[in-house]
Amino acid sequence: MLDVKLLRSDPDFVRDALHRRGGAELAGVVDQVLAHDERRRAAITEADALKAERNEASRTVGEIKRAGGDAEELIRRTRAVGEQIAELDRRVSATDEAISSLLLSTPNLPDPAVPQGGEEANQVIRSWGDPVRHPFPALPHWELGERLGLLDLPRGAKISGSGFPVLRGRGARLQRVLIDWMLDLHTTEHGYEELRVPYLVTRESLVGTGQLPKFEEESYLAERDDLWLIPTAEVPVTNLHRDELLGPEDLPLRYTAYSPCFRREAGAAGKDTRGLLRVHQFDKVELVRFERPERSADALEELTAEAESVLQKLGLAYRVLRLASGDLGFSARMTYDLEVWAPGVERWLEVSSCSTFGDFQARRANIRFRPAGGEKPAFVHTLNGSALALPRLMVALLETYQEADGSVTLPEVLRERVGTARLEP
RNA sequence: GGAGGGGUGGCAGAACGGCUAUUGCACCGGUCUUGAAAACCGGCGUCCGAAAGGACUUGUGGGUUCGAAUCCCACCCCCUCCGCCA
């Protein structure tokens, strides 16, 4: 959520930043909010004066009664003031609601370093490894998966519909091993605390991180209990500290969590329907950081490097993109996408999105810290990134390490855990 | 699911219709001190306001009242016991 004070003090700056992100219509919320804000403050000023009057009168009533006098006349007049106050209070809450409903649906402002434009303006800022070109006809992962008995898409579809893959045998084990190995990497080498979190969350939690109220159609809802399936572990992990005031010594906080992720992919019907490229349920290991504001820029670089280290250790070629303003997620201030090369489908696949949110989520979720003893509380900065998302990682792994005979040779780091060096039919 | 108890500031914990939340701990500033500790003084939630000042804040939302932490209603959460259960 944007700070109303910022809109008030520098409306041109906010208008301009929102314009870069979503055009003139989006920039228009600034003036709408400011109009409500002005009405709101006028009503508060008026109501506060009447409340002061009422408090004074009530105090007097108490004194008169204690002295054994008759306060009827004063009570009657004060009752009328009470009605005026109620009317003004209604106006305050109406404008309040109008403002928060506008702001809850307004995305974060892009960082100045973010390139302007849509997807086509994303910048490749670095790459690692050489994209593999096999000297034989490379198979896509769904064929490899089927031949090697790792993947059973038809049965997944039978159970739950398309987009719900079944992994089996070595495939299931490989995925479990990758999760385990990544968690170990982040806890032992990167200083993260491992969390195991709920996969169903309240509406409030989704509002806290920014998925709601705007993207309701993207989430699954268990209506009977009004609980939502998480689209990412970011939601429960970030909300871990919702409505908390952290001490000066508490930051930074670094958490890693495995979770399944549930996404309706409502806007992507018909896109990437084959194999594991886009599914409704997938596994992911997530990194989440709570940082002091002055640390958040460096923290994003660190977090991105930590996600990259997974691909490096697996020997998979990837590139890092800085997303353009129009391609940023709702809550993000700046995002690096990691795209891994998949030689079977001959595409770069997004396996990680590392973002800083500034104080945007902290404001929505009310996560504050005390900068130093005695100082006023301030909002923390939150960051997160996938490290990594499993399906596309599996895709890149299988397609990259496939052999001419259809088998797959596993990278060294996984062999012991999987219990074999080669996946064969 | 049933019965009972309870949610008050960063933490602990009083007040149970009116003098507008007593107090302790922690933390910050000051005085004192060579320095520290102790002691003492002040501060330590949000909003409106340029300021003076004012308003709000006792889980959340309603209601009663001139006035609600306190009374009433609904909901949420925590604890204890019972039932069910991986």
Side-chain angles (χ1 to χ4, degrees), chain A residues 121-352:
Chain A
N122 292 346
Q123 298 170 338
V124 177
I125 57 172
R126 63 176 168 271
S127 52
W128 187 94
D130 294 320
V132 169
R133 302 278 172 199
H134 290 299
F136 51 87
L139 297 176
H141 63 280
W142 55 83
E143 289 207 16
L144 287 165
E146 196 187 337
R147 287 189 192 193
L148 299 172
L150 312 173
L151 198 58
D152 193 341
L153 296 172
R155 290 204 174 88
K158 174 169 69 181
I159 300 165
S160 304
S162 76
F164 291 91
V166 166
L167 296 174
R168 57 197 308 161
R170 299 265 196 212
R173 175 157 183 180
L174 175 58
Q175 177 142 326
R176 166 166 58 85
V177 157
L178 281 166
I179 292 166
D180 199 44
W181 171 73
M182 289 191 283
L183 286 170
D184 284 349
L185 175 68
H186 300 313
T187 53
T188 62
E189 289 185 30
H190 302 147
Y192 286 74
E193 180 183 353
E194 183 175 349
L195 295 179
R196 200 78 181 183
V197 292
Y199 306 146
L200 287 166
V201 297
T202 60
R203 161 175 284 273
E204 209 180 355
S205 292
L206 282 159
V207 170
T209 32
Q211 284 78 14
L212 290 181
K214 228 184 155 195
F215 306 100
E216 198 156 317
E217 70 287 350
E218 279 300 321
S219 293
Y220 289 101
L221 168 62
E223 211 163 344
R224 186 188 297 275
D225 297 292
D226 199 28
L227 288 171
W228 302 67
L229 277 81
I230 58 170
T232 158
E234 162 193 357
V235 177
V237 176
T238 305
N239 278 280
L240 191 72
H241 294 295
R242 172 149 50 87
D243 292 323
E244 287 186 21
L245 176 53
L246 303 165
E249 68 293 340
D250 290 332
L251 295 179
L253 288 165
R254 293 170 194 174
Y255 297 114
T256 184
Y258 152 79
S259 86
C261 303
F262 304 92
R263 300 186 181 180
R264 294 190 64 239
E265 301 291 349
K271 248 165 92 181
D272 302 327
T273 49
R274 295 216 64 177
L276 296 175
L277 294 183
R278 186 176 297 275
V279 290
H280 292 306
Q281 179 187 323
F282 62 93
D283 288 335
K284 179 159 63 65
V285 171
E286 185 77 0
L287 303 175
V288 176
R289 288 185 178 219
F290 298 76
E291 297 276 355
R292 288 172 172 263
E294 65 273 18
R295 275 277 308 142
S296 70
D298 288 342
L300 177 61
E301 302 302 322
E302 294 164 9
L303 185 144
T304 306
E306 288 154 0
E308 285 176 62
S309 76
V310 174
L311 294 170
Q312 292 172 9
K313 286 176 192 297
L314 292 174
L316 297 172
Y318 68 90
R319 58 183 195 178
V320 181
L321 269 57
R322 181 185 276 140
L323 295 192
S325 56
D327 205 23
L328 279 179
F330 178 81
S331 302
R333 185 176 152 73
M334 178 150 84
T335 296
Y336 293 121
D337 270 8
L338 268 48
E339 294 187 335
V340 68
W341 177 247
V345 293
E346 295 187 284
R347 280 173 56 183
W348 294 98
L349 302 177
E350 181 189 332
V351 282
S352 177

Side-chain angles (χ1 to χ4, degrees), chain A residues 84-107:
Chain A
Q84 281 177 271
I85 290 172
E87 171 58 33
L88 285 163
D89 277 348
R90 273 193 292 277
R91 202 191 302 170
V92 172
S93 38
T95 50
D96 255 346
E97 272 169 45
I99 291 168
S100 58
S101 123
L102 283 166
L103 287 184
L104 284 174
S105 295
T106 303

